[in-house]
């Protein structure tokens, strides 16, 4: 397509897998519509540009001129996530401003900046100084974004100091969430978390528009809610990864082939795929409960145990000796997989997930039922929607996990006795396909988005 020809979009992703993936998928969507894309990326977690030949990458250096990169010092890896994001925002604020100015100076055809909602403070001033329009990408679901938007109200009503006795109470301000589903996280810096979350919402409301990786049929009520409270246009154009076969390029390693061969040998819809995304970590005792539960369920499983996933250990050494050998071919432990390929494999019967938004959407698109063990923030909200609203999964609370409960849930989800979960999965999968057809809602919103961005003056804020 020619639409965006000659126009450049600058993108600024947050440097974590769950945020970078959707930004790159969005970049491919814009590229497909004729725009060229430059990605400003932090020196921290800088990706290999050779994997993304369609785009220009520029490194944003850290602000310790001549000194050590503050993001790679040894104590940083053990920081809590909120403190880490605070440091990230501080470290790259000024370097981002300079990088954006350099890019805009170099290119006269820049029509807007698309940035991850979490960056807000870094981007607002810099973009406005340069007269560049800001479009926000929210990488989470819209329901959880609405819950973030309600945080000030929920704080006033004293919901945020969560008391054990109220966990199962419905929060009438954000139904169907219960107190335990509120998007909070364990952190030493609760005020900073509140600031990041509320900043995201303010930043989105003061931007030129919000792009969401969701689709109308999935989050209609939440989209109506956000639209009614915000003056800016909202573009639900997801699922991003399904546009024009928008699969990220991956270099297949030997382990991927071994995994596929193993999946090929399993019965249809028999395998439990277990993965808790790219950030969550668990304790040794939780690893043991999951391991025994999987073993006792006697179902084949594919389990992603990232190095560092189990606090204080390298990989699987916390498992009893001989455990992996005894499992034999019945189960497979890997450090990382191509999740999109795994979920699309006919042998996969259920996804035991932390309910990160990408994982949730990827599972919906393949019609795979979920076992929901959320770990922090938006994952609690996603889990409630998966279980109670879309009815495509079963809850397995982290605090209630024990061998017996795990075994019960795993057996019931694979046995298909459930209450229509598989039928609902098939229906939602179909609806995700429909929204991407030429006359589907996401395609129509994408056309609107392209026209909207095309209407921006290059390098100039519209009045
Ligand atoms: C985080 C948050 O948890 C999530 O809720 C938020 O919306 C985005 O940032 P993360 O925890 O990593 O992301 O989870 P998720 O959103 O599910 O993203 C993980 C991504 O990594 C998915 O796209 C998944 O396909 C990919 N992945 C994960 C792999 O490709 N292989 C793996 O082995 C594990």
């Amino acid at each position: 397509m020619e639409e965006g020809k000659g126009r450049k979009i600058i993108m600024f992703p947050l440097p974590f897998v769950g945020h970078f993936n959707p930004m790159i998928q969005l970049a491919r969507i814009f590229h497909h519509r004729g725009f060229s894309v430059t990605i400003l990326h932090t020196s921290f977690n800088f990706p290999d540009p050779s994997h993304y030949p369609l785009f220009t990458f520029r490194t944003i250096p850290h602000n310790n001129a001549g000194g050590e990169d503050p993001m790679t010092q040894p104590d940083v890896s053990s920081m809590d996530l909120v403190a880490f994001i605070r440091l990230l925002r501080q470290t790259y604020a000024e370097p981002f401003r300079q990088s954006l100015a350099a890019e805009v100076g170099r290119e006269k055809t820049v029509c807007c900046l698309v940035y991850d909602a979490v960056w807000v403070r870094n981007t607002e001033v810099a973009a406005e100084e340069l007269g560049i329009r800001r479009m926000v990408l929210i990488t989470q679901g819209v329901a959880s974004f609405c819950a973030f938007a309600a945080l000030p109200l929920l704080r006033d009503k004293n919901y945020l100091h969560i008391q054990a006795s109220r966990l199962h109470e419905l929060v009438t301000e954000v139904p169907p969430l219960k107190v335990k589903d509120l998007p909070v996280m364990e952190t030493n810096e609760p005020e900073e978390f509140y600031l990041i979350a509320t900043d995201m919402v303010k930043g989105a409301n003061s931007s030129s528009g919000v792009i969401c990786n969701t689709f109308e049929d999935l989050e209609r009520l939440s989209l109506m809610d956000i639209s009614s409270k915000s003056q800016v246009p909202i573009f639900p154009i997801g699922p991003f990864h399904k546009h024009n076969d928008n699969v990220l390029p991956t270099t297949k390693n030997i382990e991927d082939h071994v995994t596929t061969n193993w999946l090929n040998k399993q019965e249809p819809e028999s395998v439990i795929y277990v993965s808790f995304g790219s950030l969550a970590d668990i304790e040794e005792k939780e690893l043991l409960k999951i391991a025994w539960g999987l073993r006792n369920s006697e179902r084949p499983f594919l389990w992603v145990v990232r190095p560092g996933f189990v606090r204080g250990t390298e990989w699987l050494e916390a498992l009893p000796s001989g455990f992996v050998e005894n499992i034999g071919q019945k189960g497979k432990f890997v450090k990382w997989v191509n999740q999109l390929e795994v979920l699309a494999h006919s042998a996969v019967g259920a996804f035991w997930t932390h309910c990160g938004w990408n994982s949730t959407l990827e599972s919906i698109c393949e019609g795979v039922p979920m076992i929901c063990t959320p770990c922090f923030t938006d994952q609690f909200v996603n889990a409630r929607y998966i279980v109670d609203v879309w009815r495509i999964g079963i809850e397995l609370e982290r605090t209630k996990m024990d061998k017996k409960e795990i075994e019960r849930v795993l057996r019931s989800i694979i046995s298909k006795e459930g209450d229509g979960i598989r039928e609902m999965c098939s229906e939602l999968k179909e609806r995700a396909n429909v929204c991407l057809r030429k006359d589907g809602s996401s395609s129509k919103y994408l056309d609107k988005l392209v026209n909207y961005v095309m209407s921006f003056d290059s390098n100039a804020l519209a009045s």
Side-chain angles (χ1 to χ4, degrees), residues 16-19 21 25 139-141 273 275-280 304 335-340 353-360 362 376-379 382:
F16 299 119
V17 174
H19 291 255
N21 282 1
Q25 288 158 354
T139 60
Q140 60 190 94
Y273 167 55
S275 173
F276 282 40
S278 66
L279 291 171
V304 178
K335 291 183 176 161
W336 192 252
V337 290
N338 181 331
Q339 181 162 299
L340 292 172
T353 169
H354 71 314
C355 306
W357 184 245
N358 298 291
S359 293
T360 301
E362 290 162 11
F376 54 81
T377 58
D378 62 323
Q379 298 156 16
N382 302 339

Coordinates of all heavy atoms in Angstrom, one line a residue, residues 16-19 21 25 139-141 273 275-280 304 335-340 353-360 362 376-379 382, ligand 1:
F16 N 11.0 -4.4 27.4 CA 10.7 -5.7 28.0 C 9.9 -6.5 26.9 O 9.1 -5.9 26.2 CB 9.8 -5.6 29.2 CG 10.4 -4.9 30.4 CD1 9.8 -3.7 30.8 CD2 11.6 -5.3 30.9 CE1 10.4 -3.0 31.9 CE2 12.2 -4.6 32.0 CZ 11.6 -3.5 32.5
V17 N 10.1 -7.8 26.9 CA 9.5 -8.6 25.8 C 8.0 -8.4 25.6 O 7.5 -8.2 24.5 CB 9.7 -10.1 26.1 CG1 9.0 -11.0 25.1 CG2 11.2 -10.5 26.1
G18 N 7.3 -8.4 26.8 CA 5.8 -8.2 26.7 C 5.4 -6.8 26.2 O 4.2 -6.6 25.8
H19 N 6.3 -5.9 26.1 CA 6.0 -4.6 25.6 C 6.6 -4.4 24.2 O 6.0 -3.7 23.3 CB 6.5 -3.5 26.5 CG 5.8 -3.4 27.8 ND1 4.9 -2.4 28.2 CD2 5.8 -4.3 28.9 CE1 4.4 -2.7 29.4 NE2 4.9 -3.8 29.8
N21 N 7.3 -6.8 21.9 CA 6.7 -7.6 20.9 C 5.5 -6.8 20.3 O 5.4 -6.7 19.1 CB 6.2 -8.9 21.5 CG 7.3 -9.9 21.6 OD1 8.5 -9.6 21.2 ND2 7.0 -11.1 22.0
Q25 N 5.1 -5.5 16.4 CA 4.0 -6.0 15.6 C 3.3 -4.8 15.0 O 2.9 -4.8 13.8 CB 3.1 -6.9 16.4 CG 3.6 -8.2 16.7 CD 3.0 -8.9 17.9 OE1 2.2 -8.3 18.6 NE2 3.4 -10.1 18.2
T139 N -0.1 -1.7 25.9 CA 0.1 -3.1 25.6 C -0.7 -4.0 26.5 O -0.7 -5.2 26.3 CB 1.6 -3.4 25.9 OG1 1.9 -3.2 27.2 CG2 2.5 -2.6 25.0
Q140 N -1.4 -3.5 27.4 CA -2.3 -4.3 28.3 C -3.7 -4.3 27.7 O -4.0 -3.6 26.7 CB -2.3 -3.7 29.7 CG -2.8 -2.3 29.8 CD -2.6 -1.7 31.1 OE1 -1.7 -1.0 31.4 NE2 -3.6 -1.9 32.0
G141 N -4.6 -5.0 28.3 CA -6.0 -5.0 27.8 C -6.7 -3.7 28.3 O -6.2 -3.0 29.2
Y273 N 0.5 -26.7 28.2 CA 1.6 -25.8 28.0 C 1.7 -24.8 29.2 O 0.7 -24.2 29.5 CB 1.4 -25.1 26.7 CG 2.3 -23.9 26.5 CD1 3.7 -24.1 26.6 CD2 1.8 -22.6 26.2 CE1 4.6 -23.0 26.4 CE2 2.7 -21.5 26.1 CZ 4.1 -21.7 26.2 OH 4.9 -20.7 26.0
S275 N 3.6 -21.6 30.9 CA 4.5 -20.5 30.8 C 4.0 -19.3 31.5 O 2.8 -18.9 31.4 CB 4.8 -20.2 29.4 OG 5.6 -19.0 29.3
F276 N 4.9 -18.6 32.3 CA 4.5 -17.4 33.0 C 5.1 -16.2 32.5 O 5.5 -15.3 33.2 CB 4.9 -17.6 34.5 CG 3.9 -18.6 35.3 CD1 3.4 -19.7 34.7 CD2 3.5 -18.3 36.6 CE1 2.5 -20.5 35.3 CE2 2.6 -19.1 37.2 CZ 2.1 -20.2 36.6
G277 N 5.3 -16.1 31.1 CA 5.7 -14.9 30.5 C 7.2 -14.6 30.7 O 8.0 -15.5 31.0
S278 N 7.5 -13.3 30.6 CA 9.0 -13.0 30.6 C 9.4 -12.3 31.8 O 10.6 -12.1 32.0 CB 9.3 -12.1 29.4 OG 8.6 -10.9 29.5
L279 N 8.5 -12.0 32.8 CA 9.0 -11.2 33.9 C 8.7 -11.9 35.3 O 9.5 -11.7 36.2 CB 8.3 -9.8 33.9 CG 8.6 -8.9 32.8 CD1 7.7 -7.7 32.8 CD2 10.1 -8.4 33.0
A280 N 7.6 -12.6 35.4 CA 7.2 -13.1 36.7 C 8.2 -14.1 37.2 O 8.9 -14.8 36.4 CB 5.8 -13.8 36.5
V304 N 7.8 -24.0 30.3 CA 8.9 -23.0 30.1 C 9.4 -22.6 31.5 O 8.6 -21.9 32.2 CB 8.4 -21.8 29.3 CG1 9.6 -20.7 29.2 CG2 7.9 -22.1 27.9
K335 N 13.8 -23.6 28.2 CA 14.1 -22.3 28.7 C 13.3 -21.2 28.0 O 13.0 -20.2 28.6 CB 15.5 -22.0 28.6 CG 16.3 -22.9 29.5 CD 17.8 -22.6 29.5 CE 18.5 -23.5 30.5 NZ 19.9 -23.7 30.3
W336 N 12.8 -21.5 26.8 CA 12.1 -20.5 26.1 C 11.5 -21.2 24.9 O 12.1 -22.2 24.4 CB 13.0 -19.4 25.6 CG 12.3 -18.2 25.0 CD1 12.2 -17.8 23.7 CD2 11.5 -17.2 25.7 NE1 11.5 -16.6 23.6 CE2 11.0 -16.2 24.8 CE3 11.2 -17.0 27.1 CZ2 10.3 -15.1 25.2 CZ3 10.5 -15.8 27.5 CH2 10.0 -14.9 26.5
V337 N 10.4 -20.8 24.4 CA 9.8 -21.5 23.1 C 9.3 -20.4 22.2 O 9.2 -19.2 22.6 CB 8.6 -22.4 23.4 CG1 9.0 -23.6 24.1 CG2 7.5 -21.6 24.2
N338 N 9.0 -20.7 21.0 CA 8.2 -19.8 20.2 C 6.7 -20.0 20.6 O 6.1 -21.0 20.1 CB 8.5 -20.2 18.7 CG 7.7 -19.2 17.8 OD1 6.7 -18.7 18.1 ND2 8.3 -19.0 16.6
Q339 N 6.3 -19.2 21.4 CA 4.9 -19.4 22.0 C 3.8 -19.4 21.0 O 2.9 -20.2 21.1 CB 4.7 -18.3 23.1 CG 3.3 -18.5 23.8 CD 3.2 -17.8 25.1 OE1 4.0 -18.0 26.0 NE2 2.3 -16.9 25.2
L340 N 3.9 -18.6 20.0 CA 2.9 -18.5 19.0 C 2.8 -19.9 18.3 O 1.7 -20.4 18.0 CB 3.1 -17.4 18.0 CG 3.0 -16.0 18.5 CD1 3.5 -15.0 17.5 CD2 1.6 -15.7 19.0
T353 N -1.2 -20.3 32.5 CA -0.6 -19.0 32.2 C -0.7 -18.0 33.4 O -1.6 -18.1 34.2 CB -1.2 -18.3 30.9 OG1 -0.8 -17.0 30.8 CG2 -2.7 -18.3 31.0
H354 N 0.2 -17.0 33.4 CA 0.2 -15.9 34.4 C -0.8 -14.8 33.9 O -1.0 -13.8 34.6 CB 1.6 -15.4 34.6 CG 2.1 -14.6 33.4 ND1 2.0 -15.0 32.1 CD2 2.6 -13.3 33.3 CE1 2.5 -14.1 31.3 NE2 2.9 -13.1 32.0
C355 N -1.4 -15.0 32.7 CA -2.4 -14.1 32.1 C -1.8 -12.7 31.8 O -2.5 -11.7 31.9 CB -3.6 -13.9 33.1 SG -4.3 -15.5 33.6
G356 N -0.5 -12.7 31.4 CA 0.0 -11.5 30.7 C -0.9 -11.2 29.5 O -1.5 -12.1 28.9
W357 N -1.0 -9.9 29.1 CA -2.0 -9.6 28.1 C -1.7 -10.3 26.7 O -2.5 -10.8 26.0 CB -2.2 -8.1 27.9 CG -3.3 -7.8 26.9 CD1 -3.1 -7.2 25.7 CD2 -4.7 -8.2 27.0 NE1 -4.3 -7.1 25.0 CE2 -5.3 -7.7 25.8 CE3 -5.4 -8.8 27.9 CZ2 -6.6 -7.9 25.5 CZ3 -6.8 -8.9 27.7 CH2 -7.4 -8.5 26.5
N358 N -0.4 -10.3 26.4 CA 0.0 -10.9 25.1 C -0.4 -12.4 25.1 O -0.9 -13.0 24.2 CB 1.5 -10.8 24.8 CG 1.9 -9.3 24.7 OD1 1.5 -8.7 23.7 ND2 2.6 -8.8 25.7
S359 N 0.0 -13.1 26.2 CA -0.3 -14.5 26.3 C -1.8 -14.7 26.2 O -2.3 -15.7 25.6 CB 0.2 -15.1 27.7 OG 1.6 -15.1 27.7
T360 N -2.6 -13.9 26.9 CA -4.0 -14.0 26.9 C -4.6 -13.9 25.5 O -5.4 -14.8 25.0 CB -4.7 -12.9 27.8 OG1 -4.1 -13.1 29.1 CG2 -6.2 -13.0 27.8
E362 N -2.9 -14.2 22.7 CA -2.4 -15.3 21.8 C -3.2 -16.6 22.0 O -3.5 -17.3 21.0 CB -0.9 -15.5 22.1 CG -0.1 -14.3 21.6 CD 1.3 -14.2 22.2 OE1 1.8 -15.2 22.9 OE2 2.0 -13.2 22.1
F376 N 0.9 -10.5 38.9 CA 0.9 -9.0 39.3 C 0.1 -8.2 38.3 O -0.2 -8.5 37.2 CB 2.3 -8.5 39.5 CG 3.2 -8.7 38.3 CD1 3.2 -7.8 37.2 CD2 4.2 -9.7 38.3 CE1 4.0 -8.0 36.2 CE2 5.0 -9.8 37.3 CZ 5.0 -9.0 36.2
T377 N -0.3 -7.0 38.8 CA -1.0 -5.9 38.1 C -2.1 -6.4 37.2 O -3.0 -7.1 37.6 CB 0.0 -5.0 37.4 OG1 0.7 -5.7 36.4 CG2 0.8 -4.2 38.3
D378 N -2.0 -6.1 35.9 CA -3.1 -6.3 34.9 C -3.4 -7.8 34.8 O -4.5 -8.1 34.4 CB -2.7 -5.7 33.6 CG -1.5 -6.4 32.9 OD1 -0.6 -6.7 33.7 OD2 -1.5 -6.6 31.7
Q379 N -2.5 -8.7 35.2 CA -2.8 -10.1 35.1 C -4.0 -10.5 35.9 O -4.8 -11.4 35.5 CB -1.5 -10.9 35.5 CG -0.4 -10.6 34.5 CD 1.0 -10.8 35.2 OE1 1.1 -11.5 36.2 NE2 2.0 -10.3 34.6
N382 N -7.1 -9.5 33.9 CA -7.2 -10.4 32.7 C -7.8 -11.8 33.2 O -8.7 -12.4 32.5 CB -5.8 -10.7 32.1 CG -5.2 -9.4 31.6 OD1 -5.9 -8.4 31.4 ND2 -3.9 -9.4 31.4
Ligands
LIG1 C1 4.2 -8.0 30.7 C2 3.0 -8.1 31.6 O1 3.0 -9.2 32.4 C3 1.7 -8.1 30.8 O2 0.6 -8.4 31.6 C4 1.7 -6.8 30.1 O3 0.4 -6.7 29.5 C5 2.8 -6.7 29.1 O4 4.0 -6.9 29.9 P1 4.9 -10.6 30.3 O5 4.8 -10.8 31.7 O6 6.2 -11.0 29.7 O7 4.5 -9.1 29.9 O8 3.7 -11.5 29.6 P2 3.0 -11.4 28.3 O9 2.2 -10.2 28.1 O10 2.2 -12.7 28.2 O11 4.1 -11.4 27.2 C6 5.1 -12.5 27.0 C7 5.4 -12.6 25.5 O12 6.6 -13.4 25.4 C8 4.3 -13.2 24.7 O13 4.2 -12.5 23.5 C9 4.8 -14.6 24.5 O14 4.4 -15.1 23.2 C10 6.3 -14.5 24.5 N1 6.9 -15.7 25.0 C11 6.9 -16.1 26.3 C12 7.6 -16.5 24.1 O15 7.6 -16.2 22.9 N2 8.2 -17.6 24.6 C13 8.2 -18.0 25.9 O16 8.8 -19.0 26.2 C14 7.5 -17.2 26.8

